[in-house]
Amino acid sequence: MRIALREMRRRPGRFAVATVILTLISMLLMFLGGLLDGLVANSTGALRAQQADAIVYSATSQDSLVRSRIEPDVRSQVEEVVGAESVGGFGSVQLGGRLDGRGPRDLVPIVLFGYELAPRGLPDEPPGPGEVYADEALRSEDIEEGTTIRLGPARSEVTVVGFLEDSRYSGQGTLWGSLETWREVVAANRPAEATGDGVVQALVVREGAAGGDLAAAVDAATDGATSTLSIDAAIDALPGVSQQTSTFNQIIGVTVLIAIVVVALFFALLTVERVGLYGILKAIGASSRTLFLGVLTQAVVVALLASAVGIVAALALDALVPPGSIPFVASPARLGSSAAIVVAAAAAGCAFSLRRVLRVDPAAAIGGSQ
């Protein structure tokens, strides 16, 4: 192993090509992973922010918040399962927002949520009538505390009284107000979708007294009138989320295969160049295991260098990207897993050199066959 590291110090140019290529692959992996995380975060923040265990939709809604309607009698049945304090109404509406100083068609895409159980980052008590909290991403639209936003064709005015983080939904910034504010905005701008008192689109439910299988208990109590999903299942049910994840994971998988092939080819060529050296080392007592560990060490060092550069590039991109532009997130978990994948791919790639190392003949290397 020391010989392998000494070779890398004395002849770094020999490993430059592999390091550069693996660095590019590492950067591509981290960019794809960050882009996937950003897209998912932009679509699911409003559900991930829920401090709850499940979301209850109406059975005929196909687990869609927009199509769902929960009547007061159904809510009462749910409350009998978990307790009234563990149930909160939930509603949403997507509208264009107008800001002072902008043209009439310069709209900010916004999702207004009405809630009873506070999501993460909001006080327990919903704000007063006409008041809303805004997602941090809306700061990129020059929305600040005290800004008045006129929503929809009816120009329903709401005033921002604070901000919360990571609550974007369907790629849009969000506003969070009381159910009363939500009902008034919907009635003014989407009369056909207006709901009566006590009617909400969905219920956010904490486990409360239910225990066990919360979803099954709720759906049984409502005699099949509801479709209850855990938060993770509700996120997966959002349109496009599972398709985006599947597509990006396939691209990442292909990139990993390319990394394995690149490392395999490089170290196979490097092994051929060093057959004579390996033969001499074997002749003076070095085992095949020792020689292969040297090759493996060099592959891991190259992969670690490439990963380090990739991580720095990803963090720099994350810092430079303006909020609300490219949906890119450089999370420690994603960067760490990408680096681990690069190292594992390098180790797997150099394993193809094992057979050639095992077949090195010391006698041939020192001229014994002549």
Side-chain angles (χ1 to χ4, degrees):
M1 189 178 297
R2 281 181 297 181
I3 294 176
L5 294 176
R6 189 173 301 166
E7 181 187 16
M8 297 187 79
R9 287 199 301 271
R10 289 184 174 178
R11 304 189 64 180
R14 172 174 282 182
F15 302 90
V17 174
T19 304
V20 170
I21 295 175
L22 212 53
T23 298
L24 294 176
I25 292 174
S26 172
M27 292 170 64
L28 178 60
L29 269 179
M30 293 180 189
F31 178 76
L32 289 172
L35 200 57
L36 170 61
D37 291 344
L39 287 170
V40 172
N42 275 355
S43 299
T44 64
L47 296 187
R48 285 185 289 102
Q50 297 300 321
Q51 301 183 101
D53 299 297
I55 295 182
V56 182
Y57 300 100
S58 57
T60 57
S61 68
Q62 299 179 323
D63 301 330
S64 167
L65 192 57
V66 176
R67 299 191 189 100
S68 178
R69 292 291 183 276
I70 301 292
E71 301 290 337
D73 58 328
V74 175
R75 174 171 181 153
S76 298
Q77 294 169 336
V78 176
E79 291 176 345
E80 290 178 1
V81 177
V82 296
E85 70 283 357
S86 299
V87 178
F90 195 51
S92 72
V93 60
Q94 299 186 30
L95 295 167
R98 292 177 172 82
L99 299 173
D100 290 339
R102 295 195 180 188
R105 296 185 181 279
D106 188 5
L107 304 180
V108 179
I110 284 174
V111 184
L112 171 67
F113 285 99
Y115 70 94
E116 289 179 318
L117 289 183
R120 180 190 63 247
L122 293 184
D124 292 339
E125 193 69 24
E131 296 179 340
V132 294
Y133 291 94
D135 185 87
E136 284 282 352
L138 289 175
R139 288 187 187 275
S140 64
E141 301 287 350
D142 296 328
I143 293 175
E144 301 292 343
E145 193 170 326
T147 298
T148 296
I149 305 173
R150 298 182 299 280
L151 296 174
R155 293 168 170 71
S156 303
E157 291 190 352
V158 293
T159 302
V160 176
V161 295
F163 288 87
L164 74 164
E165 297 180 347
D166 191 18
S167 69
R168 288 171 64 87
Y169 185 74
S170 295
Q172 301 174 44
T174 56
L175 300 177
W176 298 78
S178 65
L179 283 177
E180 290 70 24
T181 298
W182 167 70
R183 286 195 180 94
E184 289 176 5
V185 172
V186 173
N189 294 278
R190 303 274 178 81
E193 301 174 14
T195 61
D197 290 342
V199 179
V200 293
Q201 287 182 335
L203 298 174
V204 175
V205 179
R206 294 171 182 163
E207 189 172 283
D213 191 341
L214 175 62
V218 170
D219 292 343
T222 60
D223 196 22
T226 58
S227 173
T228 305
L229 303 179
S230 66
I231 298 299
D232 289 341
I235 289 172
D236 290 338
L238 290 174
V241 172
S242 60
Q243 291 83 352
Q244 285 178 354
T245 303
S246 175
T247 301
F248 271 85
N249 283 336
Q250 289 178 33
I251 297 173
I252 289 172
V254 171
T255 306
V256 172
L257 287 177
I258 292 173
I260 292 174
V261 172
V262 167
V263 175
L265 289 174
F266 174 78
F267 279 96
L269 293 174
L270 206 59
T271 302
V272 170
E273 289 180 6
R274 295 185 294 189
V275 166
L277 173 63
Y278 289 155
I280 293 173
L281 290 173
K282 277 191 173 182
I284 61 176
S287 65
S288 296
R289 177 174 176 274
T290 300
L291 297 179
F292 179 69
L293 283 178
V295 176
L296 180 62
T297 300
Q298 290 174 337
V300 170
V301 170
V302 168
L304 289 175
L305 287 174
S307 299
V309 175
I311 289 173
V312 171
L315 292 175
L317 179 63
D318 190 37
L320 294 174
V321 170
S325 55
I326 301 176
F328 182 83
V329 175
S331 66
R334 173 62 69 178
L335 297 180
S337 63
S338 297
I341 289 173
V342 172
V343 172
C350 80
F352 289 100
S353 302
L354 177 61
R355 184 166 173 267
R356 187 171 292 275
V357 172
L358 293 175
R359 292 174 60 186
V360 171
D361 182 4
I366 61 177
S369 59
Q370 297 177 356

